[in-house]
Amino acid sequence: MSSYKDIQRLTGLSLATISKYFNGRTVLDENRRAIEEAAEQLGFRPNTIARNLRSGRSRTVGVLLPALTNNFHLTIIAGVEKALHDAGLSVLVAASPEPGDAVGLLMSRMVDGIITVPPPHDVPALAAAAAGIPVVQVDWQADGLATDGVFLDNRGAGALAARLLIDHGHRRIGLVGGTPDVSTHRERSAGFRAELAANGITPDDTLLTAGAWTVAGGQESMRHVLAARDRPTAVFCASHELTLGALIALNDSGLRLGRDLSLVGFDARELAMATLPRLSIVEQPTHEIAARAAERLLARLADPGADPEPVLVTVDPHFVPGASVAHLDG
Amino acid sequence: MSSYKDIQRLTGLSLATISKYFNGRTVLDENRRAIEEAAEQLGFRPNTIARNLRSGRSRTVGVLLPALTNNFHLTIIAGVEKALHDAGLSVLVAASPEPGDAVGLLMSRMVDGIITVPPPHDVPALAAAAAGIPVVQVDWQADGLATDGVFLDNRGAGALAARLLIDHGHRRIGLVGGTPDVSTHRERSAGFRAELAANGITPDDTLLTAGAWTVAGGQESMRHVLAARDRPTAVFCASHELTLGALIALNDSGLRLGRDLSLVGFDARELAMATLPRLSIVEQPTHEIAARAAERLLARLADPGADPEPVLVTVDPHFVPGASVAHLDG
DNA sequence: CTCTCGAAAAGAAACGTTTCGCTCTCTCTC
DNA sequence: GAGAGAGAGCGAAACGTTTCTTTTCGAGAG
C-alpha cells in the first residue's frame, strides 16, 4: 500500500532516517513523533518482502513435513509457530508427500532456517540446504543428514513401558511395533526388548511384532498377538496409530481391556481418557520437542559462527498412568 | 545464491530474456538451451522474494487461526496446504490467540489471500484486509465480516443427530452443547432443538445444556445431564471436545455407553473407533471444507473483477454409524 | 534490392527496503 | 576557543526480479 516514500512526503525526512526508526534505532524525538503520526495516518507497515530482499533474511522458517496427515506432525507446526512467533519469526508450511522440490521451494523463499521431520526423498536437498542455513531435524534422524536434532529418547520410552509391565508382574508380554526402517521405531522396540531381556524374559518373537506404522498395521499386529497359542497378559503399542489399531482389534476380539489384557499405549492422550478403563500410556512431550527445535534454530540463527558440530537434544518420555495395566500376583 | 546476473554472465543474454524464459514465454531455442545449461550448472532457482516484490504478488496465502490447539483447525492447515500446493501456492501459518497485529503481519508479507477461522479480535483488521485481497472464512462466520465462506450446515448437523435418536425411539433426549456466542454452536443446538420440537418433543431445559466449548465443559454438562431427576435415554454432544468430555463423565459415572445411555458424538472419528461400543457420530468433512475454501480463494484470485458479493458454501455433515445408540421399543 | 512487419532481444526503470559513506551539529576537553 | 568525537541525518547504491519501451534481426513481398 503505502511505503517509506509516503512517509517521506509527509515528514520531509530521508528514507534512511525512516528506516532507522522502523528498525528500532535512535531517531530525534521530534522526528520519531512525525514518523509515528504519518505511519498512523497512512496505516503503514513496512513491507516485509522488500525488507527480506534487501537484508537477505526473511524472518521466516520453513517447516517441512512428510505429510500433514499425522497428528504428531501437525502438532509440531503448532509448537514451532508458538515458539517462533515470540521471536518475531513466521512459519511457512511445506508438505512433501512425494518427491519434488519442496526444499528448493523453501530456499527460493529465503527461509532463514528449516525445521523438519525429514521426508526420505528430501534428504539430499536438505543436506545441501544445511550448508547455507540451519536445519533442525525432529522425530527421526535421517541417515547422512548431520544437523542439529531433537528426538525422543525412544530406547528409554520402550524400556519405560517394559519396566512398567514387568513391575506389575507381567512376564508374558507382547509388542505391537512399527517397521524397523525408521530409526524411531527401531529404537523404541529395541529399548523394549532390551528391558525385557534385562529382566530375564526371553523374547518370544511371535509376540513381538513389527508391522506397518498405521492403524491397520496395529490392528493386524494385535490380532496376530491375540491369536498366539499362549496369549500374552500384556501388550505395549509403540505409537499412536498402533495403539488405536490395537484397541480396535482388542475390542473386536471380545476381550476386555485391563482385565483380559493389560495394555500400554503411546502418544494417545485423548484416546486414553475415553477408554474404559483409561489407558496407561507413554507419551512424548510433543510441545517440548517443537519448542526445543525452535530454540535450537534460534540459537543457530543468533550465532551463525558457532561450532558447526551437530547438537542433538534428547527429551524424555512421560508416563501417564491409567487403569489398563492389571497387577498380576506371583 | 545465484541470480539472473550469473546466468547473464554465462550466456551473454539480457536479463529481460532470461526473465522471459523463467516465466514460460517464448525464447529462441538456442537461448533456451543456453539458459537451461547455465541454470543447471549454477543450481539456480529464481528468487521468489524478488519476484514477489516486483510483481506485487507473493503466491502465498495466509492461514489465520485463533489457536493451534484445536485439531479441527490444524486439519484446516493440512487441507488448505494440499489444495493450494497443487496450484503453486504456499501457506503461511499465523495463530492469533490474543489481540495483536496478526493480519498486519500477513499483509506485510503480501499474502495474496487469507483463509481464516476468524479470531474475534482480528475481525476489524480482516474486514480491512478483505478490501484488498480475497478472504475466505471457515468454520464460523464473524459478525460484520462479509466475505466468502465455507461452513458446515450446522443446523442440519444438529437436526441429523436429533432425528437419529428419535428414529431409534428415544423421546427423552439431552444435549451437551456449547455456548451460543459462537454461531456454529448456536446453529447446531438450534437445529437439534427444532428437530425435537418438530417431532412433538417438548424441550426440557434441564437436559439441554450450553457450557464451555471444552473437554471440561463437556464433562460438567454431562454430569449435569446425568444428575437430572429423570435421566435421558440419549444424549447428543455437539463438538469433538464436548464429546470427549461427556465420554469421560459417562465413564466416571459407572453408567454404560449404549446400554444405560445412548450417545451421538461429533467430529471424533478416532475416539469413535476406540470406544466400546463404537460411538455413532456426526462428522463434518474437514478436508472438504478446507478444499472448498482453497477453491473459493483460487477462484477469487483467478478473477479479481468478479462480483464482490460474498459466496457462501455450505457442506453437509456425515453420519458415521457406531453402536452407541440403543434401539428403544414402544 | 529495398521495404515492411513481426518476433525476439536488449536497455532501463521500477518494486520498497537497508546500508554505506558522508556531512552536519553539538558537546566535551585541553 | 579550537579540535575531536559522538549522534543523527542524508543521498545514493544496492538486493533480484519484472515490465515497459526501444532496438535488432530476418523473412517475405513487391
Side-chain angles (χ1 to χ4, degrees):
Chain A
M1 300 274 161
S2 46
S3 74
Y4 282 5
K5 282 204 184 127
D6 300 294
I7 299 210
Q8 180 174 42
R9 194 170 311 127
L10 293 184
T11 63
L13 293 167
S14 78
L15 298 182
T17 302
I18 300 171
S19 171
K20 272 179 68 178
Y21 168 78
F22 282 106
N23 286 20
R25 288 188 281 130
T26 64
V27 151
L28 287 188
D29 240 43
E30 173 196 349
N31 296 336
R32 186 172 55 65
R33 262 191 295 278
I35 294 175
E36 280 167 356
E37 184 188 341
E40 170 74 18
Q41 181 182 328
L42 293 166
F44 173 82
R45 262 193 83 119
N47 181 315
T48 307
I49 298 282
R51 277 191 158 164
N52 296 348
L53 176 60
R54 176 57 226 226
S55 62
R57 301 174 324 145
S58 63
R59 302 200 68 71
T60 297
V61 320
V63 172
L64 175 66
L65 304 170
L68 300 179
T69 50
N70 179 308
N71 226 293
F72 172 69
H73 293 165
L74 282 174
T75 311
I76 294 287
I77 298 178
V80 167
E81 201 280 340
K82 185 170 189 308
L84 291 184
H85 180 87
D86 296 341
L89 302 188
S90 294
V91 168
L92 196 60
V93 172
S96 181
E98 51 199 39
D101 196 13
V103 175
L105 192 84
L106 291 175
M107 294 300 283
S108 81
R109 289 188 128 89
M110 296 174 76
V111 294
D112 294 343
I114 295 179
I115 292 179
T116 182
V117 176
H121 50 262
D122 286 319
V123 170
L126 280 169
I133 58 172
V135 170
V136 180
Q137 300 180 65
V138 146
D139 195 24
W140 45 282
Q141 182 153 24
D143 289 345
L145 185 54
T147 71
D148 289 1
V150 179
F151 308 102
L152 180 71
D153 174 7
N154 284 297
R155 276 191 86 82
L160 178 60
R163 207 172 318 123
L164 178 86
L165 293 172
I166 293 167
D167 286 350
H168 278 69
H170 296 269
R171 307 286 297 170
R172 185 151 183 81
I173 299 176
L175 168 69
V176 175
T179 46
D181 56 344
V182 22
S183 69
T184 297
H185 281 93
R186 198 167 49 236
E187 298 280 305
R188 232 171 259 170
S189 295
F192 184 77
R193 300 172 97 110
E195 188 68 21
L196 292 189
N199 285 272
I201 301 179
T202 341
D204 176 343
D205 278 336
T206 64
L207 301 186
L208 303 173
T209 62
W213 178 36
T214 59
V215 176
Q219 275 183 275
E220 191 182 321
S221 292
M222 187 63 156
R223 273 198 293 266
H224 181 82
V225 167
L226 292 178
R229 250 185 334 217
D230 191 1
R231 188 177 6 109
T233 60
V235 162
F236 169 51
C237 307
S239 82
H240 179 143
E241 286 78 6
L242 295 172
T243 302
L244 177 57
L247 266 178
I248 294 174
L250 178 64
N251 286 343
D252 287 349
S253 75
L255 295 174
R256 287 271 299 280
L257 177 63
R259 215 187 49 185
D260 303 323
L261 184 79
S262 293
L263 196 151
V264 173
F266 199 95
D267 250 9
R269 185 153 221 167
E270 232 182 50
L271 237 52
M273 297 194 289
T275 59
L276 189 65
R278 284 191 199 198
L279 224 51
S280 300
I281 58 174
V282 172
E283 187 185 55
Q284 68 183 312
T286 313
H287 274 90
E288 184 187 350
I289 290 176
R292 298 294 275 280
E295 191 179 284
R296 271 282 79 226
L297 194 71
L298 289 172
R300 288 288 182 187
L301 289 175
D303 182 8
D307 181 357
E309 191 64 21
V311 175
L312 299 182
V313 177
T314 299
V315 303
D316 292 324
H318 301 319
F319 174 65
V320 183
S324 64
V325 178
H327 199 100
L328 256 49
D329 311 306
Chain B
M1 297 274 159
S2 48
S3 74
Y4 282 4
K5 283 205 184 129
D6 300 292
I7 299 210
Q8 179 174 44
R9 196 172 308 125
L10 293 185
T11 63
L13 294 167
S14 78
L15 298 182
T17 302
I18 299 171
S19 170
K20 271 179 69 179
Y21 169 77
F22 281 107
N23 286 1
R25 287 186 283 132
T26 66
V27 152
L28 250 33
D29 239 43
E30 174 194 349
N31 294 337
R32 185 173 54 67
R33 262 192 295 278
I35 294 175
E36 279 167 357
E37 184 187 342
E40 170 74 17
Q41 181 182 329
L42 293 166
F44 173 82
R45 261 193 84 120
N47 181 314
T48 306
I49 297 284
R51 278 192 157 163
N52 296 348
L53 176 58
R54 178 54 226 230
S55 63
R57 300 176 324 144
S58 63
R59 301 201 67 73
T60 298
V61 321
V63 173
L64 174 66
L65 304 171
L68 300 178
T69 50
N70 179 308
N71 226 292
F72 171 70
H73 294 165
L74 282 173
T75 310
I76 294 287
I77 298 178
V80 167
E81 200 281 339
K82 185 169 189 310
L84 292 183
H85 181 85
D86 296 340
L89 301 188
S90 294
V91 168
L92 196 60
V93 173
S96 180
E98 52 198 38
D101 196 13
V103 175
L105 193 84
L106 291 175
M107 293 302 283
S108 80
R109 289 185 127 90
M110 296 174 77
V111 293
D112 294 342
I114 295 179
I115 291 179
T116 182
V117 175
H121 50 262
D122 287 319
V123 170
L126 280 169
I133 58 173
V135 170
V136 179
Q137 300 181 63
V138 145
D139 194 24
W140 45 283
Q141 182 153 25
D143 290 343
L145 186 52
T147 71
D148 288 0
V150 179
F151 308 103
L152 180 71
D153 173 7
N154 284 298
R155 276 191 86 81
L160 179 61
R163 206 170 321 122
L164 179 86
L165 292 172
I166 293 169
D167 285 350
H168 278 69
H170 294 271
R171 307 285 301 172
R172 187 154 182 80
I173 300 176
L175 168 68
V176 175
T179 46
D181 55 346
V182 21
S183 69
T184 296
H185 281 93
R186 198 166 49 234
E187 298 281 305
R188 230 171 261 171
S189 295
F192 184 78
R193 300 172 97 113
E195 188 67 21
L196 292 190
N199 284 271
I201 301 180
T202 340
D204 178 342
D205 279 338
T206 63
L207 301 185
L208 303 174
T209 62
W213 179 34
T214 59
V215 176
Q219 276 184 273
E220 192 182 320
S221 292
M222 187 63 155
R223 271 198 295 265
H224 181 81
V225 167
L226 292 178
R229 249 183 337 210
D230 189 2
R231 184 169 19 101
T233 60
V235 161
F236 169 51
C237 307
S239 83
H240 179 144
E241 287 78 5
L242 295 173
T243 302
L244 177 56
L247 267 177
I248 295 174
L250 178 64
N251 285 343
D252 288 349
S253 76
L255 296 174
R256 287 269 299 280
L257 177 64
R259 216 188 48 186
D260 302 322
L261 183 79
S262 292
L263 196 151
V264 174
F266 199 95
D267 251 9
R269 185 153 221 167
E270 231 183 51
L271 236 53
M273 298 194 289
T275 58
L276 189 63
R278 283 191 201 198
L279 225 50
S280 299
I281 57 173
V282 172
E283 188 184 53
Q284 68 184 315
T286 313
H287 273 91
E288 183 189 349
I289 290 175
R292 298 293 277 279
E295 192 178 282
R296 270 283 78 227
L297 194 70
L298 289 172
R300 288 289 181 186
L301 289 176
D303 181 9
D307 182 358
E309 192 62 21
V311 174
L312 299 181
V313 177
T314 300
V315 303
D316 292 323
H318 301 319
F319 174 64
V320 183
S324 63
V325 178
H327 198 99
L328 254 51
D329 310 306

